[in-house]
Amino acid sequence: MARNSYRNFLRLLDKWPVDSTKAGDRDLGKYLRLRVTEGFRHGDATAVDETECQRIYASLNRIATNVHAKQYPRTLRSTSTGLTAEECKQVISEEFLQILKEQDKGFFSGLFKRG
């Protein structure tokens, strides 16, 4: 039975892209790959809770195939910040976070440096 779960998770990982704009532990695709390798240390011979594996697989598969996004399409293309999806992706990229670190112009850091 673990063989089916293992193969299902491997197919799921094929659907889940790795975001090259995020480094380290910030990418969900990399995290999922790490968790699958930890959970199935011995490949399809690993003893696992099949019910739990099926539940997790079904949830991740719904996300990967955009089930809910298709079922409940968004009417607006902006976010609560007023940014588009592409702009949000740029803001959370590793490059943008590096620029913020270099500038180091946070509100609280400025207050503490003055005092």
Side-chain angles (χ1 to χ4, degrees), residues 2 5 46-56:
S5 290
T46 306
V48 294
D49 180 4
E50 282 298 317
T51 306
E52 184 68 8
C53 280
Q54 289 172 1
R55 186 187 68 76
I56 293 170

CSV table of all heavy atoms in Angstrom, one decimal, residues 2 5 46-56:
chain,number,residue,atom,x,y,z
A,2,ALA,N,2.0,1.3,0.7
A,2,ALA,CA,2.8,2.4,0.7
A,2,ALA,C,3.4,2.8,-0.7
A,2,ALA,O,3.6,3.9,-1.0
A,2,ALA,CB,4.0,2.3,1.7
A,5,SER,N,0.9,5.2,-2.3
A,5,SER,CA,1.1,6.6,-1.7
A,5,SER,C,2.4,7.2,-2.2
A,5,SER,O,2.4,8.4,-2.5
A,5,SER,CB,1.1,6.5,-0.2
A,5,SER,OG,-0.2,6.1,0.3
A,46,THR,N,8.5,2.0,2.7
A,46,THR,CA,8.3,2.6,4.0
A,46,THR,C,7.0,2.3,4.6
A,46,THR,O,6.0,2.4,3.9
A,46,THR,CB,8.5,4.2,3.9
A,46,THR,OG1,9.8,4.4,3.3
A,46,THR,CG2,8.4,4.9,5.2
A,47,ALA,N,6.9,2.1,5.9
A,47,ALA,CA,5.6,1.8,6.5
A,47,ALA,C,5.0,3.2,6.9
A,47,ALA,O,5.6,4.0,7.6
A,47,ALA,CB,5.8,1.0,7.8
A,48,VAL,N,3.8,3.5,6.4
A,48,VAL,CA,3.1,4.7,6.6
A,48,VAL,C,1.7,4.5,6.9
A,48,VAL,O,1.1,3.4,6.7
A,48,VAL,CB,3.2,5.7,5.4
A,48,VAL,CG1,4.6,6.1,5.1
A,48,VAL,CG2,2.6,5.0,4.1
A,49,ASP,N,1.0,5.5,7.5
A,49,ASP,CA,-0.4,5.5,7.8
A,49,ASP,C,-1.1,5.9,6.5
A,49,ASP,O,-1.1,7.0,6.1
A,49,ASP,CB,-0.7,6.5,8.9
A,49,ASP,CG,-2.2,6.5,9.2
A,49,ASP,OD1,-3.0,5.7,8.7
A,49,ASP,OD2,-2.6,7.3,10.1
A,50,GLU,N,-1.7,4.9,5.8
A,50,GLU,CA,-2.3,5.1,4.5
A,50,GLU,C,-3.4,6.1,4.5
A,50,GLU,O,-3.6,6.9,3.6
A,50,GLU,CB,-2.8,3.8,3.9
A,50,GLU,CG,-1.7,2.9,3.3
A,50,GLU,CD,-1.0,3.6,2.2
A,50,GLU,OE1,-1.6,4.2,1.3
A,50,GLU,OE2,0.2,3.5,2.2
A,51,THR,N,-4.2,6.1,5.6
A,51,THR,CA,-5.4,7.0,5.6
A,51,THR,C,-4.9,8.4,5.7
A,51,THR,O,-5.4,9.3,5.0
A,51,THR,CB,-6.2,6.7,6.9
A,51,THR,OG1,-6.6,5.3,6.8
A,51,THR,CG2,-7.5,7.6,6.9
A,52,GLU,N,-3.9,8.7,6.5
A,52,GLU,CA,-3.3,10.0,6.7
A,52,GLU,C,-2.6,10.4,5.3
A,52,GLU,O,-2.7,11.6,4.9
A,52,GLU,CB,-2.3,10.0,7.8
A,52,GLU,CG,-1.7,11.4,8.1
A,52,GLU,CD,-2.7,12.4,8.6
A,52,GLU,OE1,-3.9,12.0,9.0
A,52,GLU,OE2,-2.4,13.6,8.7
A,53,CYS,N,-1.9,9.5,4.7
A,53,CYS,CA,-1.2,9.8,3.4
A,53,CYS,C,-2.3,10.2,2.4
A,53,CYS,O,-2.1,11.2,1.6
A,53,CYS,CB,-0.4,8.6,2.9
A,53,CYS,SG,1.2,8.5,3.7
A,54,GLN,N,-3.4,9.5,2.3
A,54,GLN,CA,-4.4,9.8,1.3
A,54,GLN,C,-5.0,11.1,1.6
A,54,GLN,O,-5.3,11.9,0.7
A,54,GLN,CB,-5.5,8.7,1.3
A,54,GLN,CG,-5.0,7.4,0.8
A,54,GLN,CD,-6.0,6.3,0.9
A,54,GLN,OE1,-7.1,6.5,1.5
A,54,GLN,NE2,-5.6,5.1,0.5
A,55,ARG,N,-5.2,11.5,2.9
A,55,ARG,CA,-5.8,12.8,3.2
A,55,ARG,C,-4.9,13.9,2.8
A,55,ARG,O,-5.3,14.9,2.2
A,55,ARG,CB,-6.1,12.8,4.8
A,55,ARG,CG,-6.8,14.0,5.2
A,55,ARG,CD,-6.9,14.1,6.7
A,55,ARG,NE,-5.6,14.3,7.3
A,55,ARG,CZ,-5.0,15.5,7.4
A,55,ARG,NH1,-5.5,16.6,6.8
A,55,ARG,NH2,-3.8,15.7,8.0
A,56,ILE,N,-3.6,13.8,3.2
A,56,ILE,CA,-2.7,14.8,2.8
A,56,ILE,C,-2.5,15.0,1.3
A,56,ILE,O,-2.5,16.1,0.8
A,56,ILE,CB,-1.3,14.5,3.5
A,56,ILE,CG1,-1.4,14.7,5.0
A,56,ILE,CG2,-0.2,15.5,3.0
A,56,ILE,CD1,-0.2,14.1,5.8
